[in-house]
Amino acid sequence: MKRNLLRKDEESDPMSVVSNLFDVAMVFAVALMVALVSRYNMTEMLSREDFTMVKNPGKENMEIITKEGEKINRYTPSENQESDGSRGKRVGIAYELDNGEIIYVPE
């Protein structure tokens, strides 16, 4: 009789394996999210402060991301500009020096 009791304790429920896999997957997903947020310096998204961030500055796929309160806005300059360049006007010239400093000369 004692042998039967011990054998029943040794047998495991097959569903316990599924629940353990779910727990491991959840821990992995949370760790991946934390790693991505810290890798791409996106910790500002989690704060309560307002901010403006420029993604890919000076390139064709540049985006400006602003957070105002709970609202997050994305602005892609190339989408909102006309193709003939009639919006805006030239106001000066900017030069970049060898040391990385930029000098603006108004016209």
Side-chain angles (χ1 to χ4, degrees):
M1 223 181 201
K2 286 185 179 183
R3 285 186 171 175
N4 288 339
L5 290 175
L6 290 175
R7 283 189 184 155
K8 288 183 181 179
D9 289 340
E10 290 176 5
E11 293 179 15
S12 64
D13 183 21
M15 290 304 289
S16 67
V17 174
V18 174
S19 66
N20 287 339
L21 285 176
F22 179 76
D23 293 341
V24 169
M26 290 305 294
V27 168
F28 178 74
V30 169
L32 182 63
M33 286 174 37
V34 168
L36 287 173
V37 165
S38 63
R39 166 66 175 102
Y40 292 110
N41 298 326
M42 298 291 286
T43 53
E44 294 90 4
M45 293 284 192
L46 304 176
S47 70
R48 293 182 181 252
E49 299 175 8
D50 295 346
F51 72 92
T52 301
M53 180 175 70
V54 179
K55 184 178 173 185
N56 302 324
K59 297 182 181 174
E60 290 182 13
N61 59 349
M62 180 176 82
E63 291 180 332
I64 300 171
I65 301 171
T66 58
K67 179 182 175 195
E68 298 168 352
E70 295 293 319
K71 187 176 180 182
I72 298 175
N73 299 320
R74 293 178 65 186
Y75 173 73
T76 305
S78 61
E79 290 177 359
N80 297 331
Q81 291 179 351
E82 296 176 11
S83 61
D84 63 355
S86 63
R87 295 181 68 189
K89 63 179 181 177
R90 184 177 174 165
V91 293
I93 302 172
Y95 296 98
E96 183 176 1
L97 301 178
D98 291 337
N99 63 2
E101 185 179 352
I102 296 178
I103 298 175
Y104 168 71
V105 180
E107 289 182 341

